[in-house]
Amino acid sequence: MYQVQLLDAFKTAKNYIQDKQIAADLGIPKQRISEYRSGKRYMSDIQAVFLAQECKIDEKEALIGVHADRTQNSHIKQLWDEIAKKLNSQGNQLHSLGLVAILGGLSTEVKAVAQCALCGLALC
């Protein structure tokens, strides 16, 4: 799970010993970090970007990673993983990342249109 890696990277970057220190920085109850680690809950986009910024991790990678974690559909998860690999291998900067981030919550018809838009950006 990407969010666990993100939490660990933040913990290392800040030289924290306990997860409750991460929770304090995020302004959330300390048990929430355990829920993130176990996959019972998923961090928000805002939390993922905050952690990424603090760790000097690409914000786009963080968003894609947490969205891949959130989905229960194996096909959609595979799509997120493929997008991440293509972004990393090609070094592309996706100016319309908002379009990608929205894909998880769209209807099937709208996903098809959005996927065509991604093809135009050479991401498929």
Side-chain angles (χ1 to χ4, degrees), residues 24-101:
D25 285 357
L26 292 174
I28 58 176
K30 61 184 177 183
Q31 66 270 19
R32 184 76 39 88
I33 302 298
S34 295
E35 294 170 340
Y36 291 163
R37 289 188 180 281
S38 68
K40 289 181 182 177
R41 283 185 172 245
Y42 299 97
M43 66 180 61
S44 71
D45 292 346
I46 293 170
Q47 292 168 331
V49 168
F50 170 79
L51 294 175
Q53 289 172 339
E54 294 294 314
C55 299
K56 309 282 190 269
I57 294 173
D58 187 310
E59 297 169 356
K60 296 173 197 79
E61 178 185 330
L63 284 173
I64 290 170
V66 297
H67 276 268
D69 281 351
R70 286 182 200 148
T71 187
Q72 301 300 314
N73 181 300
S74 60
H75 178 68
I76 301 298
K77 183 173 184 59
Q78 181 182 358
L79 291 173
W80 279 118
D81 291 340
E82 289 173 14
I83 290 169
K85 286 177 188 172
K86 286 186 181 189
L87 280 174
N88 289 334
S89 68
Q90 296 175 1
N92 286 337
Q93 296 218 347
L94 182 58
H95 298 303
S96 59
L97 185 62
L99 177 64
V100 175

